[in-house]
């Protein structure tokens, strides 16, 4: 149950490392990692308005391929889908063209294409939908639109973003029914309660916060995904404050006039929101197999009294309603935030001059990046930055294109709107210390239940799985090695393919987090 609880309630992204598909992840918010890197940037090899199939696979070339199909395959894991619907964000140029496509509406055509591709994927990969009666839902947005609260990702024609979010729900379908009505009183915004949304029988998660990706969003809620209501397969409910924010916010419960009321507040006790979760009875013709939860609340007899609800603000929707307080997880949670990447010294100096790490025009960092804005050149124990195009700055100064800038101290590197903190680590004298620099970027989180040991490494068996991208185009070989496919060593010919950044820097099972005692330990394996 603990593993199911992590997967379903605290679903987190794979660690990104320096390579693989994860280099295309989009960071949305420096301050709150919950939605960071759940979205991926893609570039179609062609006109996606003329050919919506490019949304599923962006290219005929497997090595260059991105798109929704690649995103879903990379998140498949060994269990059922942890999403019901998917998000697509198109560039303003492509969205405007798609709206005007005739005679067949483009959005209907795109939906039909993606549904067929997804059905084929499920059949070929034995991939289980979370709710068999529900087709894949699709939400398509225009970059920078009001639906995104004006946040622009700077997508150009041919670029699009895919998102797999456990809380994304495009609406009920045949076989769905509402199970919980979410009523909020925001003391800084309005008096009394308003129903702001519903959790449905085939919905995984409902989030309340201030982010445009939340199921209900309002600026006074302070943080993205601040409160999360989860529906378990057995029909019970679990709720939790975002684990990344539990040191700053809390949820408490009281009984007010016969209704169970939740209070979202700061740790200092300042209320942010009052919430009532009202049970909605299933329809008479509800299909067998869908069970309603056990009711733990009491019947509301009238209105909820002050300060939760102004007395003369009658709430017909809450009269005679059954209200509940969901279970709160009792397990202790370890939150691990990935903050960036470490650059190691060059290990095989007999064969290699060094290696390169690329910075993309959108702020991507990796050993495989499509649109390179700058290159970190690691040679022996030194690092230099070379700008490939205008718009790159180091320490607040513009970097001339094609000129090597030695990085010999802590500094800030910026490309477009993305800032990265660079830290020189060569002065550390710990025995065996391999790192020459650290590059910090916006965080993403992994969550682990206390009481177990969780491995970190490139193996698919690791709880914190780092990428294992076997491409080695970024390695700069010594002239003596030549352009062949092998390296001559004392033990014989070694294939060059065995040398790639991930295999050199990270073991299959590299380390472990031991959470079996009162204090966490990290173990080198």
């Amino acid at each position: 149950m603990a593993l199911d609880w992590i997967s379903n309630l605290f679903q987190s992204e794979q660690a990104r490392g320096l390579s693989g598909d994860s280099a295309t992840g989009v960071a949305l918010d420096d301050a709150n990692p919950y939605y960071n890197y759940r979205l991926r940037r893609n570039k179609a090899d062609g006109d996606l308005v003329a050919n919506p199939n490019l949304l599923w696979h962006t290219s005929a070339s497997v090595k260059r391929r991105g798109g929704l199909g690649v995103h879903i395959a990379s998140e498949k894991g060994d269990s059922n889908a942890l999403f019901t619907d998917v998000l697509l964000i198109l560039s303003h140029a492509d969205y405007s063209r798609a709206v005007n496509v005739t005679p067949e509406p483009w959005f209907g055509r795109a939906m039909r294409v993606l549904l067929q591709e997804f059905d084929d994927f499920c059949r070929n990969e034995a991939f289980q939908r979370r709710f068999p009666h529900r087709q894949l839902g699709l939400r398509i947005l225009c970059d920078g639109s009001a639906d995104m609260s004006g946040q622009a990702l700077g997508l150009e024609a041919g670029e699009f973003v895919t998102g797999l979010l456990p809380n994304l729900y495009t609406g009920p379908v045949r076989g769905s029914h509402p199970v919980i009505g979410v009523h909020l009183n925001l003391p800084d915004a309005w008096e009394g309660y308003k129903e702001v949304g519903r959790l449905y029988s085939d919905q995984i998660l409902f989030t309340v916060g201030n982010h445009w990706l939340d199921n209900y969003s309002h600026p006074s809620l302070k943080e993205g995904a601040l409160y999360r209501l989860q529906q378990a397969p057995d029909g019970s409910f679990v709720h939790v404050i975002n684990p990344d924010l539990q040191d700053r916010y809390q949820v408490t419960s009281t009984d007010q006039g016969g209704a169970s009321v939740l209070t979202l507040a700061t740790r200092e006790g300042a209320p942010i929101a009052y919430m009532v979760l009202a049970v909605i009875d299933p329809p008479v013709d509800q299909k067998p197999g869908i069970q309603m939860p056990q009711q733990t609340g009491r019947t509301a007899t009238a209105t909820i009294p002050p300060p939760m609800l102004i007395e003369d603000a009658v709430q017909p929707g809450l009269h005679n309603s059954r209200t509940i307080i969901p279970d709160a997880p009792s397990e202790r949670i370890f939150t691990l935030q990935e903050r960036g990447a470490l650059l190691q010294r060059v290990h095989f100096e007999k064969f290699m001059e060094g290696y390169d790490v690329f910075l993309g025009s959108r702020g991507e960092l990796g050993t495989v990046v499509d649109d390179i804005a700058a290159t970190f050149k690691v040679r022996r124990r030194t690092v230099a930055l070379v700008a490939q195009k205008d718009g790159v700055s180091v320490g607040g100064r513009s970097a001339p294109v094609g000129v090597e800038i030695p990085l010999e101290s802590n500094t800030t590197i910026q490309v477009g709107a993305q800032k990265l903190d660079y830290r020189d680590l060569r002065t550390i004298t710990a025995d065996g210390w391999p790192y020459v620099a650290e590059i910090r970027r916006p965080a993403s989180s992994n969550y682990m239940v206390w009481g177990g040991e969780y491995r970190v490494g490139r193996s698919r068996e690791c709880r914190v799985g780092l990428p294992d991208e076997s491409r080695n185009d970024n390695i700069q070989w010594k002239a003596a090695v030549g352009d062949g496919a092998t390296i001559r060593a004392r033990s014989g010919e070694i294939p060059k393919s065995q040398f790639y950044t991930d295999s050199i820097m990270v073991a299959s099972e590299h380390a472990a987090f031991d959470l079996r005692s009162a204090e966490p330990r990290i173990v080198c394996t």
Side-chain angles (χ1 to χ4, degrees), residues 302-485:
T303 59
I304 300 173
M308 305 304 181
L309 182 65
I310 303 302
E311 287 183 337
D312 58 0
V314 179
Q315 290 286 118
L318 295 180
H319 279 249
N320 302 316
S321 295
R322 288 170 295 166
T323 61
I324 66 166
I325 297 175
D327 291 330
S330 59
E331 289 86 347
R332 187 180 177 191
I333 291 297
F334 181 78
T335 301
L336 172 68
Q337 285 194 346
E338 181 186 351
R339 293 310 312 259
L342 290 161
L343 303 181
Q344 293 188 17
R345 63 178 174 82
V346 178
H347 292 285
F348 298 96
E349 295 183 354
K350 288 184 179 180
F351 310 135
M352 301 175 187
E353 295 286 354
Y355 65 92
D356 297 335
V357 173
F358 307 111
L359 182 60
S361 297
R362 310 295 186 190
E364 314 98 308
L365 183 69
T367 56
V368 180
V369 172
D370 286 336
D371 186 16
I372 299 173
T375 302
F376 292 95
K377 301 179 69 172
V378 183
R379 302 294 184 265
R380 295 178 64 90
R381 290 180 54 85
T382 66
V383 184
L385 184 81
V386 180
Q388 257 74 61
K389 55 176 58 177
D390 293 329
V392 179
S393 67
V394 178
R397 296 184 178 182
S398 179
V401 175
V403 177
E404 284 196 16
I405 302 175
L407 301 176
E408 298 177 329
S409 59
N410 298 346
T411 188
T412 299
I413 296 168
Q414 183 164 354
V415 55
Q418 183 69 64
K419 285 186 178 180
L420 302 174
D421 291 327
Y422 179 90
R423 301 193 175 193
D424 189 347
L425 302 181
R426 292 175 299 171
T427 58
I428 296 177
T429 57
D431 185 37
W433 184 257
Y435 304 108
V436 295
E438 171 188 2
I439 303 172
R440 289 196 172 188
R441 55 188 170 189
S444 63
S445 295
N446 273 270
Y447 309 108
M448 307 169 203
V449 173
W450 218 271
E453 185 177 54
Y454 301 88
R455 290 171 293 168
V456 183
R458 291 182 291 112
S459 169
R460 289 178 60 87
E461 304 301 317
C462 289
R463 174 61 179 84
V464 182
L466 288 160
D468 191 22
E469 173 60 61
S470 60
R471 289 175 60 177
N472 58 12
D473 314 52
N474 67 312
I475 290 178
Q476 304 301 313
W477 304 100
K478 284 196 168 180
V481 172
D483 298 326

Side-chain angles (χ1 to χ4, degrees), residues 184-308:
L184 279 186
N185 176 353
L186 300 181
D188 292 337
W190 65 71
E191 294 181 340
Y193 279 81
K194 295 181 181 179
E195 182 175 348
V196 298
R198 294 185 170 190
L199 178 72
Y200 284 81
S201 57
D202 54 359
Q203 185 173 358
I204 298 173
L205 187 68
F206 189 99
T207 62
V208 172
N210 74 342
H211 201 281
W212 57 269
L213 284 171
D214 285 320
N215 297 96
Y216 178 72
S217 175
H218 193 280
S220 68
L221 290 167
K222 309 294 185 183
E223 309 280 356
L226 174 59
Y227 174 85
R228 292 150 63 178
L229 176 64
Q230 174 90 28
Q231 182 174 201
D234 65 358
S236 61
F237 299 99
V238 181
H239 70 165
V240 70
I241 292 291
N242 188 334
D244 297 300
L245 305 172
Q246 288 184 357
D247 59 333
R248 295 157 54 194
Y249 300 94
Q250 61 185 335
V251 59
T252 58
S253 61
T254 57
D255 185 272
Q256 296 284 325
S260 302
V261 176
L262 302 171
T263 301
L264 303 181
T266 66
R267 283 287 176 181
E268 292 73 31
I272 296 172
Y274 303 106
M275 181 184 305
V276 172
L277 304 178
V279 175
I280 301 172
D281 289 327
V284 175
D285 60 347
Q286 175 186 318
K287 290 185 177 181
I290 301 178
Q291 298 181 355
M292 287 301 294
Q294 296 287 329
Q295 307 306 332
T296 58
R298 301 194 308 195
T299 300
T301 56
T303 59
I304 300 173
M308 305 304 181

Side-chain angles (χ1 to χ4, degrees), residues 14-28:
Q14 284 288 87
R16 287 162 293 131
L18 271 178
S19 66
D21 301 328
S22 51
T24 63
V26 178
L28 294 171

